Amino acid sequence: MQTIQVKDKQFAVSIPAAQIAEQVKRVADEINRDYAGKHPIFLAVLNGSFIFAADLLREVTLPCEISFVKLASYQGVNTTGEIREVIGLNTDITGRPVIIVEDIVDTGLTMAHMIDTLKKQNPASIDVCTLLVKPDKLQVHLDIRYCAMQIPNDFIVGYGLDYDGFGRNSKDIYTLI
Ligand code: 5GP
């Protein structure tokens, strides 16, 4: 079993790079088919999606744009505790078909909030394209049109995802052991 150490924790390889590439290509093909004749704007959520977005976009053959946003954390007053606000959106998405590119949907609260925020700008449509979903952790109803892979409820790093800032540069995805 191939393992890596990231800071104080040990991780074992769970999704090899070749399998990731295959699934990223599959999702891009679905987008190419569904968005034929349209010019979507991809909104990639930094930092975690930077490798996924780069690989995905190179498989997309449509005329398209990409813009990058961040989610800033602050303590909300609701029961879930933390709300992450969309910052850095300096592109006009009014009337445009938007595809959000996310690294991983866990509870789904971040994505649900982001969709609500973007809807206020009246885009033509919003679809979610995520590298990973943990279906057992979802707390809200989310229509995830494009999902490369589903994973169990474990903590993972690699392919853009971090543990305390480290581990993003691994080509494979690793699971905490
Ligand atoms: P949600 O609001 O869906 O619970 O949170 C999703 C965010 O949590 C992701 O964008 C990511 O930043 C973080 N996250 C959730 N699960 C993992 C994981 O297994 N590994 C890493 N590195 N980040 C995760």
Side-chain angles (χ1 to χ4, degrees):
M1 182 172 57
Q2 194 190 330
T3 61
I4 53 166
Q5 172 113 14
V6 182
K7 298 192 82 176
D8 59 330
K9 300 209 185 307
Q10 283 283 120
F11 293 81
V13 71
S14 52
I15 313 177
Q19 191 182 333
I20 300 170
E22 207 174 280
Q23 295 308 315
V24 171
K25 171 84 169 68
R26 176 187 57 78
V27 164
D29 287 345
E30 286 175 23
I31 292 172
N32 289 331
R33 184 196 60 211
D34 297 347
Y35 279 76
K38 295 183 182 169
H39 300 173
I41 176 154
F42 290 87
L43 284 189
V45 185
L46 292 174
N47 295 328
S49 77
F50 78 108
I51 292 179
F52 174 44
D55 284 348
L56 180 78
L57 262 282
R58 282 177 290 184
E59 299 290 352
V60 169
T61 52
L62 306 160
C64 62
E65 290 174 70
I66 183 162
S67 199
F68 297 88
V69 294
K70 272 201 146 190
L71 299 174
S73 297
Y74 69 92
Q75 288 302 311
V77 289
N78 65 357
T79 49
T80 59
E82 190 177 89
I83 301 282
R84 298 168 82 207
E85 210 60 61
V86 181
I87 57 169
L89 179 60
N90 48 18
T91 312
D92 185 11
I93 59 167
T94 310
R96 302 285 309 274
V98 170
I99 302 176
I100 301 172
V101 181
E102 176 65 301
D103 55 356
I104 183 164
V105 174
D106 192 56
T107 62
L109 292 167
T110 305
M111 193 47 57
H113 183 67
M114 184 170 176
I115 291 168
D116 283 349
T117 305
L118 295 178
K119 273 185 181 163
K120 291 179 188 144
Q121 297 198 26
N122 296 315
S125 59
I126 303 178
D127 276 325
V128 175
C129 177
T130 186
L131 176 69
L132 300 159
V133 178
K134 293 179 186 173
D136 295 343
K137 289 271 305 265
L138 270 178
Q139 286 182 20
V140 286
H141 173 74
L142 256 192
D143 184 10
I144 302 173
R145 188 165 184 187
Y146 305 106
C147 168
M149 292 164 290
Q150 298 195 347
I151 57 168
N153 187 12
D154 299 317
F155 186 78
I156 55 126
V157 293
Y159 196 72
L161 288 110
D162 73 309
Y163 163 53
D164 205 11
F166 286 81
R168 296 191 197 274
N169 52 322
S170 294
K171 287 183 180 173
D172 308 297
I173 290 174
Y174 288 80
T175 298
L176 182 66
I177 47 177

